[in-house]
Amino acid sequence: MPATPTTDGPATDGPATGFVVTGVEPAAAELAGSAAGAAERLLTRPPVGLGDVVPAPASVRPQPAANFALPADAAVRVSADPAARDVAEHLAELLRPATGLPLPVADLPTIPGTLMLTLSATAPRPSAAVREWAAEEYRLDVDVDGVRITAGTATGLFHGVQTLRQLLPAAVESRTTVAGRWVVPGGTIVDRPHFPYRGAMLDVARHFFTVDDVCRVIDHLARYKLNHLHLHLTDDQGWRIAVDSWPRLATVGGRTEVGGGPGGWYTAADYRRIVGYAARRHVTVVPEVDLPGHTNAALVAYPELAPGKVAPPPYTGTEVGFSYVDPTDERTYDFVADVLGEVAALTPGPWLHIGGDEAYKVKGAAYTGFVERVQQIVAGLGRTVVGWHQIAPADQVDGRVLQWWGTDGDDPTVAEAVRRGARLILSPGNHAYLDMKYAPDTPLGHDWAGLIDVHRAYHWDPATHLTGVPAEAVLGVEAPLWTESVTSLAEIEFLLLPRLPALAEVAWSAPSTRSWAGFRERLAGHGPRWQAAGITFHPSPEIPWPRPSDNVRIAGSPPPARQPRPRSVTSGQGQTKIT
Ligand code: TNX
C-alpha cells in the first residue's frame, strides 16, 4: 500500500509551479525536511483546479489541503444497484487504460474504497428551485482518503464521473498506460443542470456515418453532460434506417448521399447498438423522420408516395424544399404510421421528431392538416412530438416540443404556439448551428446563418432569447450538425470541438456561474485532453490553449500528440475535407 500523500500544501488551488524562497537561513536538516515536503507537495499538487470543469458546476468549494492521489490499489465501490454498478464499471473502464491500475469494482459498503459511488435517496437534497431535472444532480467530495460521488440517480452518478474525469490530469485520456501520479484536487462540487434537455443533432442523411462514428459522437456528448442525441435519419439524399414494412426505403433510398458517395443505412441491430451505447452513457436518442418535405429518397424507393406517382431521380445535391410526400393520399398516412411505429418500437426514449421544415410545396391548410395527422399518429404511439418550429401553426398536442432554428428572436408564430402549450428546444441558427464556419477561412461548413466562433456559440441566454417566450417554456438547447459539407469523423469533430462544450455550458450551467472569461480559461485545458485521446478539434485562436512548453503533462507522460493543423484539400467530388 503506497504512502498516503502529504497534502499540507499552501492554500492555493492553482497548478504546481515551484518552490517558495524565504530570507531565513534554516539548518541543513530542516532544509532537507522542507525540501522533501515541498517535493511531496509538488507531486501531490494537481495539475487541474477543482473549478476547471466544463460545463461550469453549480457550486465549487476547493480544499487545497485535501488533494487525493490515486494509490496503486485504488478500487471503485458502488451502491448495490445495477444502473449504479454500470456507472462504476464505466468509471473503471475510463481510468484503466492510462493509469494501468486494475481498479476492481465491488459493492458498498462491505469494503471502503478510494472511489465511492453512492446512490442515496436523500442526498444531495434537491433545492426547491429545481424541478424534474433534480434527477441529474450529484455531489462530489474529494479528500485525502478518496473521492465520493453521491447522487439520487445513476444519471447523477454518471455526471459526477464525467466531472471526476476532468479533474484528473489530461493524460488520463490516453488509451495507453502513462506513468505518473493521478492527483485529484480536494474539495466539494455540488452540481445540477440548468435545463433538462441538452442535446446535439447529427445529420446522418446528407452523408452516412457508421455506428462507430455515431458512438464516438455520443462519447463527446456524455463528456460535456449533454443528454440527448437527435439523429436526422431521413432526407432527400438518403434514408438511413431499415423499416421492415417498407424495405425499399433503406435498400433503395439508402444508397445515395451528397456528392454521389455510396450512402448506407442502419439495420435494426445497428440502430439498437447506437441506442444501447447512448443509454449506457445516459444519453437519449431522438430519432427524426423528416416529413412531409425532405423526402426525395423515400419517393425514389416508393413512387406511390409522390404527388404525381412518378419516381423522381435520386438526389445528391444540397438544395432544399423541392420534395414532399402526397398529403392527399391515404397511403401516405399508412406509410407514416408504419415507419413511426417501427422507429418507436426500436427507441426507448419518449421523443419522436417529425421534422416539418422547409416543406415549401405543401402550403397552408394542406401543411397544418398533414402535421396534425402525424402528431396524432405520434400521440397514438404514446410518444411526445418534436418538430422543427415550422410546425408551430398546427394544433397543440400534449407535451409538443418545437425546435426553434431561427436567427431572429422575434417569432410571433412560435410565441403563440407556446401560449397554446408548446415547449421549446432552442437551436438558434446563428449561435448553435455547428455546420456554420468558425471564420471566413474555415475549410468546411456554411455561413448562411453567419459565422459562429466559440464566443458566439457561448454568448447567448436561452431563457431570454425569444421575444414573448417565458423561460419556463424552454426545455433546453440543441446544437445541430448538418452534414452537407461533412464527410468524415475528423470533420465532425473539427466542427463540434470546441463549440459543443460552449453550448453544453449554455445548457447546463446557471447564468450566475457562466462567464466567457472563465469559460475560455477552463476550456483551454481540454485541448491536451483531446490530444491525448486522439480527438480532432479546431484550435481556435479565441482560446488560450496551453503552449507546448507549459506544464500540462504529468511526470513521465509522453509528449502530447501534436494537434494536426487542419488543411483543406479538394476531393474528387469538389468537397473540402479536413486531413
Ligand atoms: C436548414 S435547419 C435545414 C437543413 C439544412 C441546413 C443547413 C433545418 C430545419 N433545415 O435542411 O441542412 O439548413 O445549414
Side-chain angles (χ1 to χ4, degrees), residues 206 294 357-358 388 405 433 435-436 446 448 482 484:
R206 268 49 178 275
H294 290 274
D357 59 316
E358 299 170 326
W388 297 107
W405 59 281
Y433 263 38
D435 61 322
M436 294 300 123
H446 308 292
W448 67 259
W482 300 100
E484 286 96 333

Side-chain angles (χ1 to χ4, degrees), residues 408-497:
D408 169 1
D410 196 10
D411 191 331
T413 314
V414 168
E416 160 58 19
V418 167
R419 277 193 288 280
R420 288 186 282 124
R423 293 178 294 170
L424 291 186
I425 294 168
L426 293 185
S427 303
N430 53 343
H431 293 282
Y433 263 38
L434 298 178
D435 61 322
M436 294 300 123
K437 293 171 181 283
Y438 290 91
D441 61 352
T442 305
L444 71 167
H446 308 292
D447 60 7
W448 67 259
L451 300 170
I452 304 185
D453 58 14
V454 187
H455 179 259
R456 193 159 186 81
Y458 188 80
H459 202 72
W460 61 288
D461 179 4
T464 56
H465 196 70
L466 269 183
T467 308
V469 171
E472 299 73 54
V474 178
L475 198 60
V477 171
E478 186 178 291
L481 179 56
W482 300 100
T483 59
E484 286 96 333
S485 69
V486 182
T487 61
S488 67
L489 178 65
E491 292 177 349
I492 290 176
E493 290 181 338
F494 175 82
L495 290 171
L496 238 51
L497 300 169

